[in-house]
Amino acid sequence: MLNVLLLLLGVALLTAGGEALIRGSLAAARRLGVSPLLSGLVIVGFGTSAPELVVSIDAAVNGRPDIAIGNVVGSNIGNIFLILGVCALITPLAVKPLALHRDAVTVVAASILFLVLVGGSALQRTDAAILLLALLAYLSWAYLTERSSVTLSAELHIAEAEELSIVPKSLLWIVAAVVFGLMLLIGGSQVLLTGAVGIAEHFGVSEAVIGLTLVAVGTSLPELSISVIAAIRRHADVAVGNILGSNIFNLLGILGVSALLQPLPVHARILQFDQWVMLGAALLLILFLYTGRRLSRLEGGLLLIGYGIYLGLSFTVFGD
């Protein structure tokens, strides 16, 4: 019971810390004259992945690579199967051609790149550099394509930034928000990892399984809340774009930073099972989006069934 409470407390701290960090960073960007488009694309688009980033870095430097990698792979699987499945049940999710041709294809490409780099059963620092360079290339591509044309996606990024930083903030408020957010993220990651490891030891399952499921879902709650709210408000582009951007940053940014700090051996079950599920989920999503340029309620239901099957296999056939 204590470990479950620690896990829940860690999730709450991570969620609050990510929110404070995003708002503080947006306010700082506005004071520095950074464009709302770039702020929305980078800070809001990737800021929701801050919990995954801190947890994976914490796990990596503390010698728990199974949680570090499992958190990212499990989050990407859950983002597609669970979060987009839930959102599509709320309302069918239409997608614009730009998000499909650029972001969805990048998610598939990043998944394939991960498979290639872990072919040697580990992510080395050279692999980390490749991932981070790929992230930089994607960010440059995204910014240039959205700046060069007036797209709904660009307008949404601008609106996100303006909405969260519309009230002028003092320098003291900005510093306090950023520092407080970082403290909550660091503290939350420690609490969450303590609870997650305790649960793994209590039930006799591997840390990889816990990282791929409990930790992954817990750190994905910001994406879940933002995407569900967007779906309820019929802002389908935000729901889909948030998940695509998060999956790209998870693979290229979080694993890149984590492996740069500490080379990460990859658990055998991730090599044999989970990385293929992650790639399969990305390919299935792009197939659904290309057929009709939308995720229907039926397809959302199929995604949720897929996640249920994945969880069942995770704790039975591949539970070690």
Side-chain angles (χ1 to χ4, degrees), residues 5-40:
L5 291 175
L6 288 173
L7 184 74
L8 295 175
L9 176 60
V11 169
L13 292 173
L14 287 168
T15 302
E19 177 74 10
L21 182 63
I22 290 173
R23 289 183 178 274
S25 299
L26 279 174
R30 187 166 187 174
R31 285 180 65 95
L32 294 173
V34 177
S35 74
L37 171 57
L38 187 59
S39 297

Side-chain angles (χ1 to χ4, degrees), residues 102-242:
R102 186 192 67 201
D103 301 334
V105 170
T106 301
V107 170
V108 174
S111 301
I112 294 174
L113 179 61
F114 173 79
L115 265 69
V116 172
L117 294 179
V118 300
S121 301
L123 282 176
Q124 305 294 343
R125 287 191 171 92
T126 51
D127 301 321
I130 293 173
L131 291 171
L132 291 173
L133 286 174
L135 176 62
L136 181 61
Y138 165 76
L139 286 175
S140 301
W141 180 26
Y143 182 70
L144 291 174
T145 54
E146 297 202 357
R147 190 185 64 173
S148 62
S149 61
V150 180
T151 66
L152 178 59
S153 178
E155 292 172 359
L156 287 171
H157 286 309
I158 295 172
E160 288 169 345
E162 293 288 355
E163 181 180 348
L164 290 174
S165 61
I166 193 168
V167 179
K169 303 295 192 303
S170 68
L171 182 59
L172 179 61
W173 185 96
I174 293 172
V175 173
V178 171
V179 171
F180 185 61
L182 288 172
M183 289 175 61
L184 287 178
L185 285 170
I186 294 170
S189 70
Q190 294 284 343
V191 174
L192 182 140
L193 286 176
T194 299
V197 172
I199 291 172
E201 293 175 347
H202 178 77
F203 288 100
V205 297
S206 68
E207 291 185 1
V209 173
I210 297 299
L212 286 157
T213 54
L214 294 180
V215 174
V217 172
T219 56
S220 293
L221 286 181
E223 288 96 331
L224 176 61
S225 61
I226 289 176
S227 296
V228 167
I229 291 172
I232 292 173
R233 294 176 178 174
R234 301 297 190 267
H235 294 162
D237 269 17
V238 175
V240 177
N242 177 54

Side-chain angles (χ1 to χ4, degrees), residues 79 136 196 298:
N79 282 350
L136 181 61
L298 174 60

